[in-house]
Amino acid sequence: MLSKQYKLVSEPDESEPFSFEGPEIVSSTGCSIDWNKGKNVTVKVVKKRQKHKNKGTLRTVSKELPDDSFFNFFDPPQVPEDDEEMDEDMEALLATDIEIGHLLRERVVPRAVLFFTGEASDDEYDEDDEDGSDNDGYGLDGASDENDTDYDPEKDPAAKETPQECNQQ
């Protein structure tokens, strides 16, 4: 089972009580993943062939380079324990880590079974689409396309179709 814990400080600092802005996440710890040999998706193995300078023999050198993966989330960045100032890159990395954790907790975990069974789709819960429709922006929203400066009739799938005749009997 994969797990990750966040350490939360919810009390004001005694030396500066008026600077308290609410609970704050100060660090996180993840679990370690025991990968089978050769199956670690968080590293990429690069093999290089090198020629020895004097002898001329060939040898193969393997290097493990970090690779982007979902599982990197469970190996969080380490926060310095002392009151040392963090650089901007580390702060941005921690903020991203916290944001991803919050997103997983609020949106993915409550619907995990629905995603697994295929009952929920990514588009169904996409909150960027404000009106809840799945339109592609070309003529499907009922608005007039004649006044739209970005309207391209070549890209409009509805404009390419010829309307069927209505034969009443």
Side-chain angles (χ1 to χ4, degrees):
M1 179 167 71
L2 300 174
S3 65
K4 186 166 184 178
Q5 296 177 349
Y6 290 95
K7 183 178 178 185
L8 187 72
V9 173
S10 59
E11 297 177 0
D13 187 14
E14 292 180 13
S15 62
E16 297 180 33
F18 296 111
S19 67
F20 184 66
E21 296 179 1
E24 179 182 7
I25 296 175
V26 293
S27 68
S28 62
T29 56
C31 63
S32 63
I33 301 173
D34 297 326
W35 295 100
N36 290 337
K37 186 176 180 180
K39 301 294 183 182
N40 188 347
V41 296
T42 62
V43 295
K44 178 174 31 173
V45 178
V46 177
K47 295 182 179 181
K48 290 185 178 181
R49 296 180 67 192
Q50 291 182 340
K51 188 175 184 180
H52 194 273
K53 291 180 182 179
N54 297 334
K55 296 180 182 177
T57 58
L58 290 176
R59 67 178 182 165
T60 304
V61 178
S62 298
K63 277 188 178 179
E64 288 187 352
L65 301 174
D67 198 12
D68 290 335
S69 172
F70 164 78
F71 297 101
N72 289 336
F73 174 73
F74 298 98
D75 186 21
Q78 298 301 319
V79 178
E81 290 295 323
D82 51 356
D83 293 334
E84 202 177 290
E85 288 294 319
M86 290 187 288
D87 60 343
E88 292 180 15
D89 292 338
M90 179 60 91
E91 286 182 6
L93 191 62
L94 288 172
T96 303
D97 182 67
I98 291 168
E99 186 177 333
I100 291 171
H102 182 71
L103 180 106
L104 287 172
R105 179 177 175 235
E106 295 294 320
R107 292 190 181 177
V108 176
V109 171
R111 300 179 190 97
V113 173
L114 296 176
F115 283 116
F116 180 75
T117 60
E119 294 175 39
S121 67
D122 294 333
D123 298 334
E124 189 175 330
Y125 295 104
D126 189 11
E127 293 183 12
D128 294 336
D129 191 12
E130 295 169 0
D131 61 356
S133 65
D134 290 336
N135 74 32
D136 59 1
Y138 290 110
L140 300 177
D141 59 356
S144 173
D145 292 325
E146 297 162 355
N147 298 331
D148 188 4
T149 58
D150 296 332
Y151 176 69
D152 185 5
E154 296 294 322
K155 294 181 181 177
D156 188 355
K160 291 180 182 179
E161 298 174 2
T162 57
Q164 295 179 351
E165 291 185 25
C166 179
N167 295 329
Q168 293 182 350
Q169 294 184 8

